[in-house]
Structure formats: structure tokens, C-alpha cells
Amino acid sequence: MKHAEETAREVKTTCPYCGVGCGVLATPRPDGSVGIAGDPDHPANFGRLCSKGSALGETLGLEERLLHPTIGGERCDWDTALDRVATTFQAAIAEHGPHSVAFYLSGQLLTEDYYVANKLMKGFIGSANIDTNSRLCMASSVAGHKRAFGSDTVPGTYSDLEEADLVVLTGSNLAWCHPVVYQRIAAAKAVRPQMKIVVIDPRRTATCEIADLHLPIRADGDVALFCGLLRHLVEEGATDEVYVGEHTTGFAEALAAAERWRLSAVAEATGIAKSALTAFYDLFTRTGKAVTVYSQGVNQSASGTDKVNAIINCHLATGRIGRPGMGPFSITGQPNAMGGREVGGLSNMLAAHMSIEDAADRERVQAFWGSPTIAATPGLKAVELFEAVAAGRIKALWIAGTNPVVSMPDADAVGRALAACPFVVVSDVIARTDTTAYADVLLPAAAWGEKNGTVTNSERRISRQRPFLPLPGEARPDWAIFASVARRMGFFGFEYGSAGEVFDEHARLSSYENAGSRDFDIGGLAGLGASGYDLMAPTQWPVRGAVRDPVRAPATDRQAGRHTQETRFFAEGGYFHADGRARFVAVEPPASKTAPLFTINTGRVRDQWHTMTRTGLSARLSAHMPEPFAELHGEDAARLGIAPADLVEIASSHGRAVVRALVTDRQRPGNVFVPMHWTARFAPSARIGAVAHAERDPVSGQPALKSTSGTVRRFSAAWHGFAILKHRPDLEAIAPIADYRAAARTDGGWRLELAGARALSDAPGFARELFGQPAAEIVAYRDRRAGTERFAVFFEGELLGALYLSPEPVSVARSWAVSQLSLAGGQGASRAELLAGRSRADRPDPGAVVCSCFGVGINEIAALVASGGAASVEAVGKALNAGTNCGSCRSEIRAIIEAACVEATV
Ligand SMILES: Nc1nc2c(c(=O)[nH]1)N[C@H]1C(S)=C(S)[C@@H](COP(=O)(O)OP(=O)(O)OC[C@H]3O[C@@H](n4cnc5c(=O)[nH]c(N)nc54)[C@H](O)[C@@H]3O)O[C@H]1N2
Ligand SMILES: Nc1nc2c(c(=O)[nH]1)N[C@H]1C(S)=C(S)[C@@H](COP(=O)(O)OP(=O)(O)OC[C@H]3O[C@@H](n4cnc5c(=O)[nH]c(N)nc54)[C@H](O)[C@@H]3O)O[C@H]1N2
Ligand code: SF4
Ligand SMILES: [Mo]
């Protein structure tokens, strides 16, 4: 039972991570901590949260925050900083024209932030050189939607995924990247086991744990796969001729293009067995209620837009769109990827889903804004934008809410471009990131928990982010920062007093001269006033005119589902092309690559968010995968002489990265997967963005981040190391000695994996350097025969840390060693135990953390299963609590149980 007092302080807000958009109840407590729980009333999650959402309370500390503006690294006041930004942008525009300046923004900004920045650039500066990390994320979906529907519309809702009889997941690792939607599907399947799930991914991911069928597709085989499906649907007479006839055009051309994709051709192009293809095609053909969910395996491709249209073609052909349990479903990545699209955040869009290429739209937006100008042509797309910076064409650049020196392809080139750019402004919440290092002016933004505004999730639902913490230091909301600069540049129309006023203008623009001609209309949310905005309940758009009371908007999807015409699009046609019809797009699969190189695939892990600036603050989240890795198939590893736990070098023509080898049968031979998360702050050798090529989709401009051609080889290390430290290690200081450095936060300190290519001549000297305390007392142990050296380091009787060095990958009980950092003096291990790297007592090492919520390790679960103490996920939960809170690790627990069963049967 909650205390009444606690309920009073409880604030309803929205998770700042993925596009599921879960409702969160945040309760600030008197001791400064914040209680976090899922909001049972929020229609996205109904009370659930995943591991990242559950750990939000651990990422709110101020220790790494940017709290004051700086110019050239020196603290200054806001007036000075804002004046510098305004005058420098003005000077560049005066001298070199409006296209000599640019903004690079983020799908993590709130709609209000995004709206103001767009208005400033497109309507007042008069350039469309404003692009966002959504170019790396959703651009192909946007382009595919516009080609097919005439608008960037996601037709369906989350409840469709529960109502479907077939859910196809292609290029989506939903279990890790949209865990709450995954859990909703898993729960629906548990109730209706006849519901089928197909996963299409080169890797057998955690998502496959609930799949009936996994198609291990060759990189970029998707267009061929869905062309083959279209052909099959026609052959089997499964098309909806009435729908196709009344609501679409271009069917014959699309079918002609698909004609040559017979089963054997598809099998060859995709590397999928014919039997599995037939099983998938038959399932799709006979299942009316089918949803196809897709994400970055589709979007981040040189054929990304064609992949999207190949999928949509199959849904149009069968009329399976906009009805309960049916439709193509592009699931969005960032919390406000959708909101960014609503305000026209990309360089080829205009506000409120209007088009920059359409003169009437331009006039309409300009008239509404009363602005002196309006961008007349599309601006630079992300990759081109940084190329223009490198070429010296951009004289002033403002980056907000994104970390491009990590997340852009050819990321080292982005760093060089920023270094060469005459003026770089960065707005961030964290002081030291790989990108803030290049800032001339650094602006402290308000973070989640402090800022106020709205985000739109994957199912078009607008939810409020509400503040529950005071603004720390001098931090300000992003919208207010953009508006201040606009005013200082002499522009009128930026006199907003609150986020609510910005939202109101955005809502009015969406319905301005709309009358059903544009999909995005939230006119019904205009005029709410301050209290209406404060109380606004999660609301799905469209909300045309003043139709409903948003404070009492439908509480659940099921209720909302009754008003099909309001919650879904296109069941009865009504597309946004001039003739009201959808377009089939004739698509041609890309020629298959013949290069004998590896395909380097990149993406996400369960408990980290992008460049780790926030999730990297949580010890709990960092315990799941404390080190960067490359997932590669056993055959490839054997061929290249790579043993498990070796280090590997992944290289392309752009750059190289060194990470740990994770040898697995879950990978396709010839394909290697490296997470995108590690940065110079955590593991400088593991920035995979430096390796990723900048090849991109010709229609959307989205980079093909999943398929860089490159090489893999063993990194031959002369020595390996593992350390635990009370303090954050200085990775730069030890760079000349240790080529490989990977740090992760732990309870009570840090852990660090190390390796060097050249022999370590002075190990004690290195230990001293690492712990950075010249007066420290160092206890050393050396095993000459094994070539290992171990150091335990103390200062004034307290443990500072320990360092273990070995010619082979270090075998120390890591979780045990890490636990020593959080034990108070006296309770910790003896010096002998510390040097041994394990406890003498009979306390086994729990192993890598599987369940973040309860801190349960892999060895504990495996031991329980091996002893016969549990044979199901539920039984493991009963015995160890693992998997019983957020449930994000349930698929991993199932995999441990299955692996144990295999061992038992061989
Ligand atoms: N834990 C966590 N969750 C996140 C994020 C995060 O950083 N961490 N980020 C959020 C964001 S912004 C986004 S965009 C989403 C991304 O969510 P997802 O798209 O689900 O995640 P990714 O890991 O990028 O890629 C998905 C899968 O595509 C597969 N793939 C690669 N190439 C191909 C191909 O040619 N065809 C097919 N069919 N599949 C392929 C990869 O093997 C990978 O498993 O996640 C969101 N959620
Ligand atoms: N190799 C590879 N690269 C990829 C991808 C991939 O799959 N593979 N995926 C791509 C995709 S889909 C995405 S979405 C991008 C994500 O990549 P990024 O956007 O670069 O990653 P984040 O770490 O989310 O960066 C957000 C930054 O904004 C800061 N921040 C947080 N809150 C606020 C705020 O309220 N205001 C301001 N001003 N700043 C804030 C954070 O501290 C952080 O520095 O990466 C892309 N890059
Ligand atoms: S699924 Fe997890 S990360 Fe995504 S919104 Fe919900 S709690 Fe946040
Ligand atoms: Mo994304």
C-alpha cells in the first residue's frame, strides 16, 4: 500500500527511452531518491516497465551533468552564451547566406523543443539545413509511407499486435529494443497459443524465444523475400481484388517486378531454406489477421525504402491494413521519433506533415507563422550535412540531443569535421560526451524529470513528460534555449512563456486549413489552456477539430479500438495522394554482394541506450553486458583462429574497432554483429561508428548501418587485464599502454577490461598509474610460471581496487571481485583472497548478470537448473526472483534452461 503522502507527490510522466512510450509514475522522496513504477493507466504499458525504464531512478544523479553554459571550455553566464550563439549565426548568415548554418537535432527532444527549432530554421533563417538522428533511424519508413500512402502515417495500434493471428517481425529485435510491446505480444500468445510469430533476422535474437519460425535472412534479402511473398499471394488467389481495385494503383507494375521471384530465386537471394520460405508464405497467405512489424534491419539499409514498400505492397494486396489485427507497423525507436516527424524535423519535411516541395504548403506554413521567409528547397540530410561541414560550407552548427561523433557512420570523419568547423554549439545534459568535446559553446539542457512537454509513441499516442525535479544548476529546457536565440537574432514569434503555449501553436497549425486533407491533425488539443495541458491524458491522433475531451481520452486500447475510424487509418482507403489511392511500388531487390568480406551488422543490447550517457550511469544496467563484443559464428571463429573471449579487430576502409569475441551459433556465418553503444568515454577502441560505412538509401538518405563490408581478425594481445576500481579510470592516461580499455560502472565503483599489443614492461608502474594515487599501498603477487601478476591497492587502509594481469584472457571471478567494491572496510575479502581473485569460502561466483532487477547471475541460474531445482522460467522466478519484475530477461532465462537440457541429453 502506498502512503497517501507518496501518492500526492507521484507524478505521471513518460519514459524517455524507446518508442513504446510507457507511462511512468515518478515519486520524488525526501532523501532525494525517486521511486519509479509503471503507470497502470497508461495504454502503452498498463503498468509494465522494462529493465531500462525500471532503472530510471538510478540515472538522475547530477555527478556527470552539464550545469552551466561554457564558451571555449570556460564557464560563462547565459546572456553571454546566447549572445555568442545568436551573433555568430547572424554573422555567418549575413556573410555566407542562410544555407551556411545548420542544426542537427534528435528524436529525443520533446515536440515543443523540436517545433521551436524548426520554426526558427525553416521559417526565419530560411534554410532547411536542419536534420536529425531520425535520418539514421526512421527516414526509410517515412519515405516508404509517403510513397505508398501519400503521407507519413503509421496506420495501426499496439492492440493490433495482440489481436493478430500472425505477427511477422522483420529487422526488429523487439525483445530487447521494445520490451514492453514484446511482453504484450508474449502475453497474448500465452492466452492464444494458436497465434503465430515469425522473426526475420540474420541473428537468432532473444526475440526468437517466442517465435514459431525464424528465418535467418542474409543481409538485405528482405526485398526479395517480400517480392516472393507478393507473387505467392497472387498465385494462391489470396489478394483482395475489391480493395486493390477501389483504393490502390500500380498493382500490375509491382507484380511484374515481383514476377521473377520464384521460390528458388528467393532462397538463393536470402539464404533461407525453401522449406522455411514455404512455411512463412503459407502462413501469411492463410492468416487474415497479420501484422508485419519492422525496424532497423529494414530502415538502416541501402534498400531501406524499397524494403518498406515491399512489405506494404503485401498488405495492400490483401487489404490487410487499418483493421484490427492487421497492417504494416513501423515501430519507432526514440521516445519522440513520431513527434519529430509531426513538426517536420527532417530536412525534407515541413511542419505538421506538410511538404517542403509543395508551394501551397509553404505558403500556408509561412502565413501561419507570419514569418519573413520559408525554406524553399529541402536541406542537407545527416550524412551530407556533416560532409558539408567537413568541406567548410557550414560555418555554424548547432547540435542538440544527439551524440554524432559516436552514432554517425564514418564517425571519425564526423569528429574531424567538427574540429574543422568554425563554430559548434552543443546542447546536452551531460558534460563530457564524445561530441561535447568539440563544442565552442556548450549549453546545459534540462533533462528528463525536469523538462515539461509531449512525446508521441509508435502508435501515434501523444503523452506528457512532466517535471518532478527542480532544474539543477543553470539548466534550461531546449525549447526555451532555441526561443531565446531566435529573439536575440531579432525574430518575432518566439515569445512563448511555457511549453504548453508552444504545444498550442503546434496543435493549431496541424488543423490550419486542414479539413481532412492531411493525416496529422490535433486541432482538438488546441486551446487546452495551462491546466488542460497539465492534465492532458495520453491521446492518440488524429484528434480533428475539438472533438473530444483529452483529459478523459479513451483509457485503454480496447476501448479506443471500438472507434476504428479514429484510431486506425486506411481500412476504407482514404489515402493522402491526390486521387485518394495508395500506391504499390515496383521494387527491385539489390544485386547481392559477392565480396568475400564480412558483413558488419550493428545494433543494440538490452540494457544500454545508444551512447550510454544515461544508462551507463546505472551499475545495474551496466552489469548485463559490461563489455563491447562481436557476435560471430563458430565456423568463422575457427577459420580465423579466434577462441571465445579472445579480442577481435573489426575493420573497414574507414576505421577499426577492437572488441571481445562472442562465439555463438546464433549468428549467420559471414556476418558479425557489434553493438553501437560504446564510446570513447567507456571503451575508446570499440566505437563501431568509426567502422560503419556511409553508404545510404538513395530515396531516404538513411545510412546502411547494418551492412558494412569489412574484415575480422584476431587481435593478438601480449597481455590481458581486469581491474576493479573505486574511482572512474582515466582511459586517456593509460592509452599509450593499453590498446583495449572497456570500463563499466558497478555498485561502489568501476570495472575495467584491458589488453595491450605490446608486452608490459613495468606492471607495478602501470598499476600505480591506473589507480592514480602515488601514496597508495600496493600488495603484489606474481606467478612466474603462469606469467600472471596481481595487485591489490589500498589507501589509508581502504581498498582502492585490484588489478589482474595475464598473458591469456584473465580468469577472475568478476562478479565476486566487483562485489568487493561495495563492501565496507573490514567486511571485504582478505588480501590473499583479493590477490587470488576469488573467495576461499564456499561462495560461488554468480556470473554475468542476467536479471538486472534482482541482480541474479548466469551461474546462479545455471546451477539451479543443473541441480534439478527448476525446469521452467516460472520455477527459476520462484526460487531466485529472476525474471519476476520487468520480465526483460525471461527469454535469456529460457535460453539457459534450454542449453542445460541440451547438455543433459547429449
Ligand atoms: N535496449 C535498447 N532499446 C532501444 C534502443 C537502445 O539503444 N537500446 N534504441 C531505440 C531506437 S532509437 C531504435 S531505432 C530501436 C531499434 O530497434 P531494432 O531495430 O529492433 O534494433 P537493432 O538492434 O538496431 O536492429 C534490429 C535487428 O535487425 C537485424 N538485421 C540486420 N540486418 C538485417 C537485414 O538485412 N534484414 C533483417 N530482416 N534484419 C536485419 C539485426 O540483426 C538486429 O537484430 O530500438 C529502440 N530501443
Ligand atoms: N552503428 C550504428 N549506429 C547507429 C545506429 C545503429 O544501429 N548502428 N542506430 C542509429 C539510430 S536508430 C539512432 S536513433 C541514433 C542514436 O544516436 P544518438 O542520438 O547520437 O545517441 P544518444 O546517446 O541517444 O544521444 C543523445 C544525446 O542527447 C543527450 N540528451 C539526453 N537528454 C537530453 C535533453 O533533454 N536535451 C538535450 N539537449 N540533450 C539530451 C544525451 O546525453 C546524449 O548525449 O544512433 C544511430 N547510429
Ligand atoms: S519499453 Fe522500456 S525503454 Fe521502452 S518506453 Fe517502456 S520502459 Fe521505457
Ligand atoms: Mo533510432
Side-chain angles (χ1 to χ4, degrees):
M1 268 285 289
K2 272 182 228 153
H3 294 292
E5 204 185 317
E6 228 174 56
T7 316
R9 282 198 307 269
E10 181 179 275
V11 173
K12 275 179 186 275
T13 183
T14 311
C15 177
Y17 296 127
C18 84
V20 176
C22 295
V24 172
L25 300 176
T27 312
R29 303 194 187 105
D31 66 358
S33 68
V34 176
I36 296 289
D39 179 352
D41 298 329
H42 197 290
N45 57 320
F46 300 107
R48 294 180 177 94
L49 289 180
C50 76
S51 47
K52 293 180 297 301
S54 307
L56 272 166
E58 291 157 42
T59 60
L60 302 173
L62 298 182
E63 142 197 20
E64 306 251 330
R65 281 294 293 276
L66 174 65
L67 294 173
H68 305 282
T70 65
I71 297 180
E74 299 294 321
R75 184 171 163 180
C76 65
D77 59 35
W78 267 109
D79 278 337
T80 312
L82 293 170
D83 277 339
R84 177 67 66 87
V85 176
T87 54
T88 312
F89 269 76
Q90 268 174 323
I93 294 162
E95 195 174 334
H96 305 281
H99 305 304
S100 69
V101 299
F103 293 170
Y104 183 63
L105 311 180
S106 166
Q108 293 168 67
L109 294 173
L110 305 182
T111 299
E112 292 75 3
D113 305 327
Y114 237 140
Y115 178 88
V116 175
N118 263 278
K119 180 175 174 181
L120 170 57
M121 184 54 94
K122 290 188 180 136
F124 289 77
I125 292 175
S127 169
N129 281 346
I130 172 167
D131 213 39
T132 95
N133 60 6
S134 277
R135 184 70 60 194
L136 317 179
C137 183
M138 303 315 303
S140 297
S141 276
V142 173
H145 287 156
K146 282 187 162 175
R147 287 205 304 198
F149 308 146
S151 59
D152 175 22
T153 317
V154 174
T157 74
Y158 292 155
S159 61
D160 293 330
L161 306 179
E162 295 165 319
E163 286 179 53
D165 295 320
L166 169 63
V167 177
V168 179
L169 295 153
T170 184
S172 155
N173 184 7
L174 206 72
W176 281 9
C177 295
H178 300 93
V180 166
V181 164
Y182 174 81
Q183 287 173 30
R184 284 179 62 171
I185 297 174
K189 187 171 162 68
V191 177
R192 287 189 302 120
Q194 68 274 23
M195 174 181 185
K196 297 284 184 245
I197 292 162
V198 177
V199 174
I200 305 164
D201 194 305
R203 304 184 298 143
R204 200 167 77 245
T205 60
T207 305
C208 295
E209 301 299 335
I210 58 162
D212 299 279
L213 183 62
H214 169 226
L215 306 181
I217 196 166
R218 180 174 294 152
D220 289 343
D222 307 73
V223 177
L225 179 72
F226 284 92
C227 281
L229 176 58
L230 183 66
R231 191 181 177 284
H232 185 88
L233 289 166
V234 173
E235 217 163 57
E236 297 295 312
T239 56
D240 181 338
E241 280 164 27
V242 176
Y243 193 90
V244 170
E246 287 182 2
H247 302 304
T248 72
T249 63
F251 183 52
E253 291 81 354
L255 189 58
E259 190 49 42
R260 71 185 172 96
W261 293 99
R262 291 164 196 281
L263 205 59
S264 50
V266 177
E268 199 173 312
T270 60
I272 301 168
K274 279 189 198 167
S275 56
L277 285 175
T278 309
F280 169 51
Y281 286 177
D282 286 346
L283 200 54
F284 196 97
T285 303
R286 65 169 187 264
T287 314
K289 283 190 165 187
V291 179
T292 309
V293 179
Y294 52 94
S295 185
Q296 299 315 335
V298 165
N299 292 335
Q300 287 172 342
S301 159
S303 55
T305 309
D306 282 352
K307 289 186 186 190
V308 170
N309 287 110
I311 292 167
I312 294 175
N313 282 349
C314 295
H315 283 272
L316 290 175
T318 48
R320 294 175 191 163
I321 187 163
R323 290 189 281 156
M326 301 180 192
F329 198 104
S330 151
I331 190 148
T332 54
Q334 298 179 88
N336 202 29
M338 285 288 236
R341 286 144 74 175
E342 288 154 20
V343 303
L346 293 165
S347 63
N348 53 331
M349 297 167 100
L350 213 51
H353 281 201
M354 282 182 264
S355 170
I356 204 165
E357 273 115 353
D358 184 316
D361 279 352
R362 290 200 303 272
E363 273 168 33
R364 184 177 299 117
V365 175
Q366 186 176 0
F368 180 85
W369 280 341
S371 66
T373 173
I374 189 91
T377 49
L380 297 166
K381 301 187 171 92
V383 175
E384 301 164 356
L385 192 154
F386 284 99
E387 283 169 358
V389 173
R393 296 203 305 278
I394 300 295
K395 312 293 179 194
L397 173 67
W398 190 345
I399 297 168
T402 177
N403 195 357
V405 177
V406 183
S407 56
M408 282 288 292
D410 196 3
D412 285 347
V414 170
R416 288 192 296 273
L418 293 184
C421 184
F423 189 64
V424 177
V425 183
V426 178
S427 307
D428 207 291
V429 300
I430 299 293
R432 287 187 64 191
T433 74
D434 291 13
T435 301
T436 59
Y438 295 94
D440 296 294
V441 178
L442 257 180
L443 302 174
W448 184 79
E450 301 149 14
K451 56 197 294 183
N452 195 7
T454 53
V455 289
T456 309
N457 73 2
S458 297
E459 56 165 1
R460 289 175 275 106
R461 196 178 298 279
I462 301 173
S463 295
R464 293 278 281 103
Q465 269 195 19
R466 296 186 176 88
F468 53 86
L469 293 170
L471 285 172
E474 293 180 275
R476 292 185 182 177
D478 288 290
W479 67 264
I481 303 173
F482 283 113
S484 309
V485 168
R487 291 194 300 267
R488 276 161 211 257
M489 290 175 79
F491 298 132
F492 293 96
F494 294 88
E495 298 76 24
Y496 309 106
S498 67
E501 287 176 24
V502 180
F503 182 82
D504 189 66
E505 184 178 310
H506 166 61
R508 283 188 288 112
L509 174 56
S510 76
S511 62
Y512 181 64
E513 297 181 0
N514 186 331
S517 64
R518 306 191 298 269
D519 62 339
F520 179 66
D521 186 344
I522 55 166
L525 299 176
L528 294 178
S531 66
Y533 182 70
D534 277 347
L535 293 172
M536 192 169 110
T539 307
Q540 209 167 16
W541 64 257
V543 198
R544 297 191 190 278
V547 271
R548 67 185 188 212
D549 177 356
V551 178
R552 272 180 270 118
T556 69
D557 271 359
R558 282 165 204 86
Q559 272 171 284
R562 285 193 217 119
H563 312 280
T564 311
Q565 70 283 10
E566 268 191 14
T567 52
R568 295 185 179 83
F569 282 87
F570 311 140
E572 307 298 331
Y575 291 94
F576 292 92
H577 285 296
D579 58 4
R581 287 168 178 265
R583 300 282 181 274
F584 279 91
V585 180
V587 287
E588 190 61 41
S592 59
K593 283 187 191 162
T594 46
L597 299 174
F598 271 92
T599 300
I600 303 165
N601 175 8
T602 60
R604 294 158 170 80
V605 303
R606 193 190 77 192
D607 285 359
Q608 291 296 351
W609 177 260
H610 298 159
T611 70
M612 296 172 43
T613 63
R614 288 170 295 159
T615 44
L617 300 172
S618 160
R620 197 147 58 107
L621 295 179
S622 303
H624 180 238
M625 289 189 159
E627 223 190 332
F629 60 88
E631 212 175 6
L632 79 165
H633 192 271
E635 279 171 23
D636 288 328
R639 187 165 49 83
L640 298 167
I642 295 166
D646 270 351
L647 290 171
V648 287
E649 184 186 290
I650 317 284
S652 72
S653 52
H654 295 306
R656 61 190 277 279
V658 176
V659 298
R660 189 73 62 189
L662 182 69
V663 180
T664 162
D665 64 354
R666 299 180 145 242
Q667 178 63 281
R668 263 188 83 86
N671 209 301
V672 58
F673 176 85
V674 183
M676 65 167 291
H677 306 292
W678 275 270
T679 70
R681 294 286 288 148
F682 291 92
S685 75
R687 292 173 49 249
I688 199 66
V691 178
H693 64 186
E695 194 183 317
R696 47 204 182 269
D697 181 278
V699 185
S700 68
Q702 178 156 354
L705 289 160
K706 299 274 184 270
S707 59
T708 302
S709 292
T711 55
V712 176
R713 66 180 184 95
R714 183 169 178 274
F715 174 84
S716 86
W719 60 274
H720 293 260
F722 172 73
I724 52 167
L725 307 95
K726 272 276 180 215
H727 305 291
R728 185 173 193 148
D730 183 345
L731 301 185
E732 271 167 47
I734 56 170
I737 300 167
D739 301 82
Y740 178 72
R741 296 143 354 241
R745 209 172 282 261
T746 69
D747 271 334
W750 290 80
R751 58 184 285 176
L752 177 62
E753 299 284 347
L754 295 160
R758 277 162 291 110
L760 237 174
S761 53
D762 174 14
F766 177 62
R768 217 167 272 289
E769 168 102 57
L770 180 63
F771 292 97
Q773 175 49 266
E777 178 200 351
I778 300 194
V779 192
Y781 168 82
R782 186 172 195 182
D783 180 336
R784 272 182 205 283
R785 213 164 37 95
T788 59
E789 290 189 73
R790 297 167 169 214
F791 305 90
V793 184
F794 301 87
F795 184 62
E796 294 176 349
E798 288 287 325
L799 179 69
L800 270 191
L803 170 66
Y804 306 89
L805 299 169
S806 160
E808 305 296 327
V810 175
S811 64
V812 155
R814 294 204 170 28
S815 316
W816 175 86
V818 161
S819 69
Q820 297 308 311
L821 290 169
S822 46
L823 296 174
Q827 288 180 307
S830 69
R831 292 178 173 207
E833 283 177 315
L834 268 173
L835 289 178
R838 65 189 140 78
S839 150
R840 284 214 183 128
D842 193 19
R843 263 178 297 158
D845 177 30
V849 170
V850 173
C851 170
S852 307
C853 295
F854 294 106
V856 185
I858 187 165
N859 295 344
E860 292 171 273
I861 299 171
L864 175 73
V865 174
S867 71
S872 67
V873 177
E874 285 64 35
V876 169
K878 274 211 184 91
L880 299 172
N881 281 336
T884 57
N885 183 39
C886 81
S888 304
C889 63
R890 291 171 65 88
S891 55
E892 278 157 88
I893 297 175
R894 194 169 297 120
I896 296 167
I897 296 169
E898 275 165 19
C901 292
V902 173
E903 261 172 44
T905 50
V906 288

